[in-house]
Amino acid sequence: MKIGVIGLGLIGGSIFKRLRKLGYEVIGISRSQKGDNIYSEYEHLKDCNIVFICTPIHTILDVLDKLCSVLTSDTIVTDVASLKEFVTKKSYPFHFIPSHPMAGTEYSGYEHSFEELFEGAKWVLTPFDNSNTAELEDLIKKMGAIPIYAKADEHDRAVALISHTPMLIAQAIFKACEGNDLALKLASSGFRDMTRLAASNCEMAIDMINYNHKNIQNSLLNFYSTVGDLLSDYNENTLSDIAQKRKNMYNNEGKNIL
Ligand code: NAP
């Protein structure tokens, strides 16, 4: 099987490294990286069985359009963008299955990519009706990830709750402390864990806010009203219920077990 990866950054580089390690023939399309089987022209993807698009969110539609003159229905194409509804507006001549690996770090670029990134991670697929996903699902499992199926709009609402809104709040918490040197000096592990997402890849953060604006707004309204509800009846039962559910969600290695 021949596999293509476009954009060798954190996610694309990790897919590239993992699939090579698994023994697949992997073609990389990169503007910055050089090496065996790495090219800058899309022509080299012509006879690939599966192609992963791993470029920034705001470039994905353009890349999909460019692939129209290179690939046919014989090739499965997936994009790994953190949002899924925006890629559903057009049909393509290749077999397109949008997806989103729920794995990452606060770093970006090939130098931070590593082959174990997807080990034990959920990998969401949002296929169109009647799409055969068996081959892609199999490859995702071989990379160590766990496939999860969802509708594109449900996915975008869910990631607003668990990823985009927490990132925005982490950035705001950090910014709110600026100017208070004592607070920043005293800040320890609680502040570090709470604000980890404030160190997110800026380009991706801006794309997330722009492309998932509506869902983030709704999720923020839900957050404000939840803070209000919590404070209006701040009691031990409610807090221990939250604490217990949060403890039950992750195992000792920090992996989500739900
Ligand atoms: P990244 O490390 O910045 O990698 C993106 C790569 O895309 C760059 O290294 C570059 O690769 C290429 N690229 C950059 N600008 C481009 C442009 N204008 N046109 C074409 N290619 C361009 O970012 P990433 O974290 O891997 O994110 C890539 C995709 O994965 C995004 O769609 C993101 O939503 C998604 N994603 C990210 C995470 C995460 O936590 N980081 C998690 C899941 C999904 P070359 O130099 O090789 O061309």
Side-chain angles (χ1 to χ4, degrees), residues 121-142:
K122 311 276 169 51
W123 191 314
V124 187
L125 291 97
T126 60
F128 300 96
D129 289 345
N130 305 323
S131 183
N132 181 353
T133 58
E135 220 174 331
L136 179 62
E137 184 180 316
D138 187 48
L139 199 58
I140 285 171
K141 284 184 185 158
K142 288 204 169 100

Side-chain angles (χ1 to χ4, degrees), residues 18-19 22 115-123 137-147 255:
R18 181 63 181 238
L19 292 177
L22 288 169
E115 62 190 54
E116 300 85 8
L117 179 62
F118 308 108
E119 205 58 59
K122 311 276 169 51
W123 191 314
E137 184 180 316
D138 187 48
L139 199 58
I140 285 171
K141 284 184 185 158
K142 288 204 169 100
M143 285 193 268
I146 303 158
K255 296 269 185 212

